[in-house]
Amino acid sequence: MLFGFFILTVLGVLMPRGPRSLAMQTMAFCIFAMAYDLCFGYTNQCSLGHSVFFGVGAYGVVLSLLHLQSGILLGLLIAFVAGMVVAFLMGSICVRLTEAYFVIVTALFSAIFHLLSLDMTWLTGGDDGLSVTLPDISVGGVRLSLYDPMTNYYFILVFFLASYLLMRRITEAPLGKVFISIRENEKRAAFLGYDPFRYKLAAFVLSGAFTALAGSIYALTLRYATADLFGLYWSIIPIVWCLIGGVGTLVGPCIGVALMFFFQYYVSAWWTHYLILFGVLILVILRTSRKGLLGYLLGR
Amino acid sequence: MASEVASALLFYLVNGLIWGLIIALIALGLSFIFGVMGIVNMAHGDLYMLGAVFAYWIFSALGNFWLSLLIVPVAIGLLAAPTERLILRPFEGHPAVTMIATAGLSFILQQLVLMTYGGVPKELPMPLQGSFDFLGVAYPLYRLFIAALSLVIIASVWLFLHRTDYGILVRASMQDKEIASAMGINVNTVLVFTFVLGCVLAAVGGVLAAPVTQVFYLMGNDVILLCFIVVIIGGLGSLGGTLVAALVLGGVEGLLAYFLSPTGARAAVFAFMVGVLILRPQGLFGTQRG
Amino acid sequence: MKRVIRGLLVVGLAVFMVSGWAIAKEPIKIGMLADKTGGLAAYGYSHEKVLKAAVKKINEEGGIVGRPVRLYVEDTESKPSVGALKFRKLVETHGVDFVIDSNSSGIAIACAPVAKELKTPYFPSAGATEISGEKGNRYVFQPCTNVREECKGAASFAVKNIAKKWVTVVVNYAWGWSNEKEFKKYVEQKGGKVLKSIRVPLGTSDWLPYLRKIPREAEAVYFANFGSDFLSFIRDLYAVRPDIKKLGAVYVLSAQDPAKLGPAGEGLYCITSYPTRLEGLNTEYNRKYRSLIGVDPEGLEIGIGKRFVLAYDWAVWESMFLIKAAIERSGWRSRKDTSKVIEALEGMKFKESVEFPQGSGYIRAEDHLAIVDLYIEQIVGGKLKVAARIPAAKGAYPPIVDRTKESF
């Protein structure tokens, strides 16, 4: 994976502008996908409510820029914390519920947030959304503008790398081991003295916070946020990424994201109805390996 | 004045209940497929859409709406059986995996319909022309007909499950597939049968709804979430629960529409549903836990 | 097998990275954001067909200043986020010099800042007033009419020829709201009255509960909805108030067969910027325009027989010829001359012709809005007839912004 980051660093200079823009967007969604897998793959909580965190993150940064003139870095921090808080509130209600009920209650939250964001146009701009002009970032006396494509690329790459390293640290730490043991056998983990609720909540909150970070970085690359980001679509699509890429890992979901964007960006130009191919691909991958493309490639 | 408000409320309530019945019909199939097969069918809404699109095609070709009530179940059955056998069988019992596999199916179905049927929503004329005065509104007779037919279908499904031998086999498989298989039930055919029945129910819902809503390739997206909510709130595997939950959802949303803005009404209903699930995590009538 | 797949993936990745490298210099490149799938699929289909016809015409007649035009089409999936990504793809990968279309105001608003950032003139054919207002910028033009222009233009006809006491019924999102606001404002200026405003969620199949709220004394309803919402609305309105008069916003009738609406649709008025049937604007130019885009005098697609969405198609067509005229007048050669092209477009007048079949008009310099004539159509005997032609001056409102002072 680190080799992959090295390649991405080199490619940043070599790539033409088009693919570079695609890579930027893909990296933002990779953060989303990894964050989602923290909850789905590591603790087996199949949430349909992640669009809430995604939208909160996007609006967190856009609204901080518009109303607080907060600057980009502080805006990202605000978005991250907002995602964490919302995930904590939502998680303390949902996480206790078992499978199917958890899925539906999180989906209901996603629907409620979507409806409200459509209605509260004074805050969100509704369907038409809010555009934002990005201020410069000053780090140690150097001023950086995200309107410079190269700066923007490395800016996102840094956050992608940092998120990956942090999440890898979490999953390899004892905390991550508890997550996995809960996924494998919740009762046994409880017997060992780990309160499943607290650990699942922790995974949910971390996942929500990183999802919000992904949302805020995505909003920065679009320079725009819309109520559409709260839609159910953004809750379902991360499951697709995880399952076709490889669930229960951090790299797998990224492969899923790259695959989907490859289809949306390139195949759609050749064939409008590319979703048919994508649907077939989903079925073929699921049929071949329950661990997704990554599991298939690494398997013997 | 007071009577005016009362009659308005009555109108909203009854109208909401009639919509609840259509939702119940579609949700019933979803509940079935999930209960027996463990498939979270994200393509269920698209079967509803297919039912409506087929009804439109049949009407355009033959000029008769009622024929589609006969042809569509057969056509959908012929499509659904091989789909279950050849595509979905390996995924059954893994809810998250089936969810994505059926989401893949949903992409495919929607795009195929977009390619052939086109992106323009189309209208079917009302097959029953009459209307009657219902609290100051010329209420279309056809809506009452849908409500009645939905009730009849739901009742016959209930009778089938509880009063016929094959229905008992299906219910046995719903409770425990392995034991049912050990008891000598041919679970394979039960699985195919359940999937076909579930899909046909959704498609019939689509046929019935086609003249009331509009026929559009994304129309399935409008009902799918609602159906899932109804199934879960009603309690998994509880037929009666699904029916009651659909009626409650339709009725409450109808009533709230009088007081709140439309999105506000829906958001309030959803928030209410969250409350129900927190207080009664097994659903209104559920006995087993998800 | 596994080795083959691994190999293919590596090759695929390499192709993926290299693609887009080779950009030929010669032709003038036009990008199109078409809503080919998703909720607006019907509009995307017609817009793409129309723009392709325009490009074909230009190329057959020798291109623009001797250079051929090459069109790149990308699908927005009717989503703002995808639209913004595809806008970048058009400019950054295909190297297009101008971008035309998307019918969705949300997409247009999402793309406006990108157009400025990438210094690429953008011509969305979407009707939100904000596009030529606070959400636009110097690179964004609105070649079609917008909601404020349409409501202001129609207001005096509404009060004089239809009714005094109104109720508005709109779909519950930005486009509906701005129709609600503008119609109320201008109708009340003309001495009418809006008794009640009703909002209905997008995709509602049952409109009865909402329409029941229409006050008894209301004589007419102004509505903004389209596609399946429109069909449900018109049917349910007939159940509630068969006698009420109806005036629809631009767009409501797109691709619908008025005959199929039956008595529920009879007598309905509708604002439009382009008459559906040739009869409404029977000029030599329109006959030519229709034959070039393959649409018959009744508004059906030739050879297919399906209803064609004509709504803002003319604006997509005219965008292409606005670009052509601006290039010819400004001496634009490449991207570095973009500011010259924009200055040429600001205030540009155009004369009724095959290139501008909708009629003469001009692009207002201050806010980049097209000022053109409007029409009121009415369903009479199951057919759409033009009931009134509204001169451009009636719809023109004072510009909200002045783009000409904005730096490039």
Side-chain angles (χ1 to χ4, degrees), chain A residues 11 14-22 24-25 118-121 125-132 146-147 152 218 221-224 226 228-229 233-234 259 261-262 264-266 268-269 272-275 293 295-300, chain C residues 1-2 5-6 9 12 16-21 36-37 48 73-75 77 79-82 84-86 88-94 104-107 109-114 117-118 128 130 135 172-175 177 199 202 335:
Chain A
L11 275 178
L14 295 179
M15 262 192 285
R17 288 168 75 199
R20 199 197 298 126
S21 285
L22 176 64
M24 276 157 43
Q25 181 158 7
L118 282 174
D119 229 23
M120 293 162 46
T121 37
D127 235 12
D128 284 351
L130 293 176
S131 301
V132 60
L146 291 188
Y147 288 110
N152 202 351
Y218 181 55
T221 56
L222 285 181
R223 295 97 165 90
Y224 173 75
T226 156
D228 177 58
L229 299 179
Y233 174 83
W234 297 110
L259 201 62
F261 279 100
F262 175 77
Q264 189 177 56
Y265 201 78
Y266 289 104
S268 73
T272 309
H273 305 281
Y274 76 95
L275 276 176
L293 203 55
Y296 173 71
L297 292 176
L298 294 179
R300 295 277 138 200
Chain C
M1 181 60 191
K2 199 164 285 187
I5 290 185
R6 280 180 190 151
L9 280 177
F16 165 76
M17 291 303 173
V18 174
S19 69
W21 230 293
K36 286 161 65 161
T37 55
E48 185 183 3
V73 183
E74 290 287 343
D75 179 15
E77 302 177 20
K79 291 196 196 88
S81 51
V82 180
L85 173 69
K86 295 295 178 69
R88 280 183 186 276
K89 181 183 179 189
L90 285 169
V91 178
E92 294 176 340
T93 301
H94 298 311
S104 144
S105 294
I107 293 176
I109 290 170
C111 290
V114 185
E117 182 183 337
L118 302 178
E130 292 88 345
K135 300 219 167 137
N172 194 20
Y173 80 105
W175 175 71
W177 299 335
R199 293 174 176 183
L202 207 58
R335 288 200 131 255

Side-chain angles (χ1 to χ4, degrees), chain C residues 128-320:
Chain C
T129 314
E130 292 88 345
I131 296 171
S132 52
E134 60 270 34
K135 300 219 167 137
N137 57 57
R138 195 140 194 204
Y139 289 87
V140 180
F141 291 85
Q142 192 164 35
C144 53
T145 51
N146 71 28
V147 173
R148 180 168 300 170
E149 199 180 359
E150 289 153 6
C151 288
K152 182 168 185 293
S156 68
F157 180 88
V159 174
K160 260 187 231 142
N161 301 45
I162 306 180
K164 298 264 182 302
K165 289 179 192 155
W166 287 82
V167 51
T168 60
V169 177
V170 302
V171 281
N172 194 20
Y173 80 105
W175 175 71
W177 299 335
S178 75
N179 265 293
E180 178 184 292
K181 190 178 103 196
E182 305 290 355
F183 185 78
K184 185 176 163 76
K185 179 175 160 196
Y186 289 110
V187 144
E188 299 197 338
Q189 265 182 21
K190 296 284 174 199
K193 179 101 192 100
V194 174
L195 303 175
K196 194 172 173 70
S197 303
I198 298 170
R199 293 174 176 183
V200 183
L202 207 58
T204 296
S205 36
D206 182 13
W207 286 60
L208 280 181
Y210 303 101
L211 299 179
R212 206 175 172 281
K213 295 180 182 169
I214 295 177
R216 265 179 230 292
E217 58 278 19
E219 300 159 342
V221 50
Y222 177 76
F223 62 98
N225 50 34
F226 61 90
S228 57
D229 288 315
F230 164 71
L231 292 172
S232 308
F233 160 78
I234 208 77
R235 187 197 50 218
D236 291 350
L237 183 65
Y238 192 62
V240 179
R241 286 287 301 271
D243 58 311
I244 203 161
K245 291 181 176 151
K246 300 166 272 285
L247 172 64
V250 165
Y251 255 98
V252 298
L253 272 173
S254 29
Q256 297 302 337
D257 182 355
K260 280 205 180 145
L261 300 175
E266 192 61 22
L268 173 145
Y269 292 97
C270 172
I271 313 174
T272 181
S273 51
Y274 183 80
T276 310
R277 295 170 64 231
L278 179 64
E279 188 193 279
L281 183 60
N282 193 354
T283 59
E284 163 205 344
Y285 309 123
N286 258 303
R287 288 193 289 275
K288 189 81 204 291
Y289 165 65
R290 284 184 188 240
S291 84
L292 288 172
I293 63 171
V295 172
D296 76 3
E298 290 299 312
L300 303 178
E301 195 173 350
I302 292 168
I304 297 178
K306 283 188 183 165
R307 298 217 145 249
F308 198 68
V309 184
L310 279 167
Y312 278 161
D313 285 4
W314 62 271
V316 176
W317 173 271
E318 294 187 355
S319 296
M320 190 60 238

